[in-house]
Amino acid sequence: QVLLTVFVLWASLFSTIAEAQVRDPLPRLLSSRCTNPNYVCKSVRPNAAYKSFSHYYSTIENAGESVRIHYVAEGEPSSNAVVLIHGWPETWYEWRHIIRPLADIGYYVIAVDTRGCGETTITSSGYDKLTVASDIHLLLTSLGVSRAVVVAHDIGAMIGYAYASLYPNQTRALVASGATPPDSSYQSLPAVPRPGTAFKWWFASLMTEPSPFPETLIGCKEAWYFNYIFDTISNPVYRPNITNQDILQYLRFLTCPGALTAGFNYYRTFWTDVDTLAQYQATKSSVPLLVIEDAVTSGFLTPVYSALFDSVSTTAVPGGHFSPEESPTEFNAAVFSFLAVLSQ
């Protein structure tokens, strides 16, 4: 009986500590994270939702590097394809609410981990959006997918735009949310926004700084930092839909060696993207586009994309920046409605 009581108390304490690491990581992170740099990377296991999907790996050669791409796929490979491109600091896991519903209505769904993210290889270079788009194209080609609808969020929307620009005939349509393609207007985004401003750019400015400056500031404090990001640019009403266990599924990769640098490199390449994407932005794309606005973008995205595409539909969902996870019912409905019109 005594041993059972001790075991129950120990299990309860361990659970409390694990929870504290996610929501209130200091001072524990200062003592354990810095002395054991892989404390989350090596200890947190995939949760039930993560393991419930079918996982695959495919190695491609691109930009002088070998990249082992991890992806989740559901549905019949012979069906019309939908490729899902996540944002950062997320992985394929941000699409967990839409993968099966899309497969259930007859699509072959592929949710990738882009290079440097999740279970995909962390490379030393190649984080400009055209290179990452070509990664995805090489993957789809290896799977026998010749044409796909691209659904993309945040950094993924930038990659999605690059994909549609490089491969317009192989892009059936694009759904973009959470961000616009890099262009010269990025220089005018406020580094010091007025308090209460919904959209704040300070974190992106920080992450464009050369290594190891941001890595040094954020290393040992990843749990606190990324929870702060999720808290700050979510809609507070919908933020609870992203649980502590969900955040842990991101932290277990974000705390691995090289992961922060890989993620920051998506931001460090913004001005490379501005220069390389300019040639495509000079002419409007004929690829059908759906723009999904959220409580943070509040109509900001649509005028930018309308200058880049001939055929633009737009809708709004109530979640904040992380709308595929905050308000998945509304986000999914917007995507399904667009696909229905596309199929007519």
Side-chain angles (χ1 to χ4, degrees), residues 228-239:
Y228 184 81
I229 294 296
F230 274 89
D231 290 345
T232 301
I233 54 178
S234 294
N235 181 333
V237 175
Y238 293 87
R239 170 64 176 86

Side-chain angles (χ1 to χ4, degrees), residues 32-48:
S32 67
R33 169 68 176 97
C34 295
T35 57
N36 179 12
N38 301 328
Y39 87 107
V40 172
C41 176
K42 299 298 184 182
S43 62
V44 175
R45 310 312 304 166
N47 64 10

